[in-house]
Amino acid sequence: LVDVTLTTQPEFSFWFKDVGWKVENHGTDPDFEVDIAPQDYHAGRDPQLDLALQLVAQAVQNFRETYPDLTTKPSLPLPNLP
């Protein structure tokens, strides 16, 4: 390539008992599929960012901070040394 890097392609497949057949270099599947239409790009809209902001706002709205029950904390005294 022009920047002196190189590209690779999946070359080997593998099989594991828990996942079955897979191909190397697959990467991670997205949690949320977001289509970006050419009109969105041309208009300067970012559907991925819009969805991310919606998800963050929803997570913040539903967030409830939890605290440990301090009445049941364990007793951990120092050991008796000889």
Side-chain angles (χ1 to χ4, degrees):
L1 299 176
V2 175
D3 63 353
V4 195
T5 60
L6 58 105
T7 61
T8 62
Q9 62 198 28
E11 189 174 347
F12 301 104
S13 61
F14 57 86
W15 182 88
F16 289 106
K17 185 168 71 172
D18 56 343
V19 295
W21 284 102
K22 297 289 181 179
V23 177
E24 67 173 342
N25 295 334
H26 172 69
T28 304
D29 293 325
D31 293 331
F32 298 94
E33 298 266 346
V34 178
D35 291 327
I36 303 174
Q39 313 77 295
D40 293 331
Y41 180 79
H42 181 70
R45 289 189 294 268
D46 188 348
Q48 287 180 319
L49 182 60
D50 295 340
L51 178 61
L53 292 173
Q54 287 175 355
L55 292 171
V56 167
Q58 184 180 20
V60 167
Q61 185 178 21
N62 296 332
F63 178 75
R64 299 292 177 253
E65 192 167 3
T66 58
Y67 298 98
D69 181 12
L70 298 178
T71 61
T72 60
K73 68 180 184 177
S75 175
L76 301 172
L78 294 173
N80 293 328
L81 299 176

